[in-house]
Amino acid sequence: MTFDKVPAWAAWLAQDADGTWWAYEVEPNKQDHGWYENEVGRIVRLGQTEPPADWETTLTAWPPKA
């Protein structure tokens, strides 16, 4: 998956257990099989790829630090 359409406001990226990628304005909370914004900040679906082996390790600060 390419991340060329991540909104400028996005501060976090994460992938759910089903392979769906999301961008979050505020660090998301973990639920049973994915992430949620808990009604704080913006969220947008970026797309879907193969489900990850361990979705809980996909939460990443954005943009990545060089």
Side-chain angles (χ1 to χ4, degrees), residues 19 23-26 44 51:
Y24 298 90
E25 187 172 27
V26 177
V44 66

Side-chain angles (χ1 to χ4, degrees), residues 29-53:
N29 296 308
K30 188 170 66 169
Q31 60 183 352
D32 292 339
H33 300 286
W35 305 92
Y36 70 99
E37 84 292 338
N38 199 23
E39 300 181 16
V40 177
R42 293 175 277 185
I43 180 175
V44 66
R45 184 181 188 273
L46 298 173
Q48 190 165 2
T49 60
E50 189 71 26

